[in-house]
Amino acid sequence: MPDPDDFIVVEQPVPALQRGAVLVENSWFSLDPSMRIRMSGGESSYFAPYRIGAPLDGWAVGTVVESSNPDFTVGDTLHHACGWREHAVLVPDGSDWTSPRPVGVGGAIDARHHLSVLGASGFTAWAGLFKVAQLGPGETVFVSAAAGAVGSLAVQFAKLRGARVIASAGTSEKVRRLTGALGADAAFDYRTRPIGESLRSAAPDGIDVYFDSVGAEHLDAALESLRPGGRVALCGQIENYNHGTGASKGVTRLFSAIEKGLTLRGFLARMYTDDFGEFRSEVSHWFERGMLTVDETVIDGLENAPQGFIGMLGGANIGKTLVRLQAEA
Ligand SMILES: NC(=O)c1ccc[n+]([C@@H]2O[C@H](COP(=O)([O-])OP(=O)(O)OC[C@H]3O[C@@H](n4cnc5c(N)ncnc54)[C@H](OP(=O)(O)O)[C@@H]3O)[C@@H](O)[C@H]2O)c1
C-alpha cells in the first residue's frame, strides 16, 4: 500500500503558452486504481508507468483560462489527462485517445460527471457488461467491487437492461447501499464469509456473467457459480495491485472454464472507443432523466489527494473518488 510520504506537492511557475496550447485551471481530477499499477515501475501497455520525481497524471476536467489555440476560447471546459495538478498547459491536437477534448456542461451535467458516469468509469462498466460479456435481459450477473466507481454503475446499467444483479463489497454499509439506492437484487460483504458460499446462497441456480474488478478468490467463486456457456468480463484485479500485475494470486478453478465452455475476456475500455457514441447516448438518456444514482467520494485539495488515493485502494470510498480543486461556483 502506498504511503502519504511517497508523495510531495511542489509549486512551479506556469510556462508561457506556445502557439496551439491552452492553459487550463483544473476543477476536478480522478483517482483510479490503475494509478497503483503505474507506481510499480516496469512496462505495461495499460498506461505508462509513473516516473519518480515527475508529476503524476490522470483524467481531469478544467476550464480554459488562457488560449493560444484558435479552436478554444477562455471558459471552455476540457477533459484531459493532466490531473494531479491545479493548472495544466495542454495542446489539444487530437493526436491520440488521451488528447484534451471539449465537454458539454449544463442541466444535470456537471464537468465532474465526465470523469464518472459519462466518462471512463461509466464507459468501462457499460462496455464490460454489454460489449465484452454480452449481458442480456433476464440473465444473472455478479459484480465485484460493486459499491465503487465502475461497479456501482455496472449494477445500475445491468438492472436498467433487465438483468438480475448480485453484488459484492467490503462493508455492511456498502451492502445496504447496493440493495437500497443502487437496486441490486442481492449483495454480500466479501469479508465476512467465504465468497463462494455467499455467491451460492445469492444465486443457487448459478450466474450467467461475472464482471470482475478483483480477481483472486472472487474470480474463483464466480468460476464455480457460472453456468455452462457463461462469460466473464475481466475488468481489473485490484486484489493484486499492491503485489504487481505479474503476481496474480488465488485463481485455482480455471478448469471450470474448460468443463463449462466459459468465455473469459479481458478488456480495456479504450479498446471499445468506436462504441463511445452509443454509450453516451444510452447513459446520458438514463442520467438526464434521473434514473441513475451517482455516488461520489470527494477529496478537497491537491494536498489531500494522496490520502484519498490510499483510502480508495483500501475501500474507504463509496462510488467515484474525485479530487475537487475549486469551490463550487
Ligand atoms: N479495464 C478497464 O479499462 C478499467 C477501467 C477502469 C477501472 N478498471 C478496474 O476496475 C476496478 C474498479 O475501479 P474503480 O475505479 O471503480 O475503483 P473503485 O471500485 O471505486 O475503488 C476500488 C475498490 O476496490 C475495492 N477493493 C480494494 N481491495 C480489494 C480486494 N482485495 N478485494 C475486493 N475488493 C477490493 C474497494 O472496495 P471494497 O470496500 O468493496 O473492498 C475499493 O473501494 C479496478 O480493478 C480497476 O483497475 C478497469
Side-chain angles (χ1 to χ4, degrees), residues 14-314:
V14 173
L17 293 194
Q18 305 293 319
R19 208 177 152 71
V22 296
L23 174 64
V24 166
E25 186 172 1
N26 283 338
S27 45
W28 299 85
F29 68 88
S30 173
L31 296 178
D32 297 290
S34 59
M35 292 166 172
R36 177 64 188 86
I37 300 173
R38 304 178 69 188
M39 292 172 186
S40 293
E43 289 306 315
S44 162
S45 58
Y46 190 173
F47 282 107
Y50 290 133
R51 284 176 298 118
I52 291 172
L56 302 179
D57 57 55
W59 299 125
V61 287
T63 307
V64 175
V65 291
E66 202 183 323
S67 177
S68 293
N69 184 316
D71 295 331
F72 294 87
T73 51
V74 169
D76 287 350
T77 304
L78 293 194
H79 175 281
H80 62 90
C82 290
W84 289 92
R85 68 199 78 187
E86 290 173 338
H87 290 84
V89 173
L90 307 170
V91 181
D93 58 7
S95 58
D96 69 19
W97 62 281
T98 64
S99 283
R101 60 180 168 85
V103 289
V105 291
I109 301 176
D110 181 86
R112 72 187 191 282
H113 295 129
H114 295 286
L115 300 174
S116 59
V117 58
L118 303 178
S121 306
F123 187 44
T124 302
W126 183 90
L129 288 174
F130 305 129
K131 297 296 173 183
V132 179
Q134 303 275 323
L135 178 69
E139 291 193 311
T140 298
V141 56
F142 170 42
V143 179
S144 56
V150 173
S152 60
L153 294 167
V155 165
Q156 296 177 82
F157 296 169
K159 284 302 298 173
L160 284 163
R161 287 257 198 124
R164 175 165 191 267
V165 179
I166 295 158
S168 72
T171 66
S172 53
E173 183 197 355
K174 291 183 182 185
V175 168
R176 278 195 299 278
R177 185 90 190 136
L178 282 160
T179 50
L182 301 180
D185 297 281
F188 61 85
D189 179 348
Y190 68 85
R191 294 182 200 267
T192 56
R193 198 176 153 201
I195 299 165
E197 270 180 40
S198 299
L199 186 55
R200 279 195 300 278
S201 307
D205 298 329
I207 59 174
D208 302 291
V209 166
Y210 173 43
F211 188 100
D212 185 25
S213 288
V214 177
E217 193 189 338
H218 272 85
L219 179 52
D220 255 349
L223 287 168
E224 191 195 340
S225 278
L226 277 155
R227 287 198 269 256
R231 289 91 65 204
V232 181
L234 296 169
C235 172
Q237 293 220 323
I238 197 161
E239 167 72 29
N240 290 309
Y241 290 173
N242 283 320
H243 316 292
T245 48
S248 298
K249 64 171 182 176
V251 183
T252 61
R253 292 183 184 272
L254 266 180
F255 194 71
S256 306
I258 298 167
E259 292 175 310
K260 295 190 270 187
L262 307 178
T263 302
L264 285 77
R265 192 157 164 206
F267 75 104
L268 296 173
R270 66 174 185 257
M271 294 167 180
Y272 291 83
T273 306
D274 288 350
D275 299 309
F276 195 78
E278 186 188 342
F279 152 75
R280 278 301 302 272
S281 101
E282 179 167 31
V283 173
S284 324
H285 174 89
W286 288 333
F287 182 59
E288 291 183 287
R289 278 157 191 76
M291 296 160 77
L292 293 170
T293 298
V294 181
D295 283 340
E296 294 170 339
T297 297
V298 174
I299 313 297
D300 272 304
L302 187 56
E303 63 285 2
N304 295 317
Q307 197 57 64
F309 174 68
I310 293 162
M312 179 269 297
L313 288 179

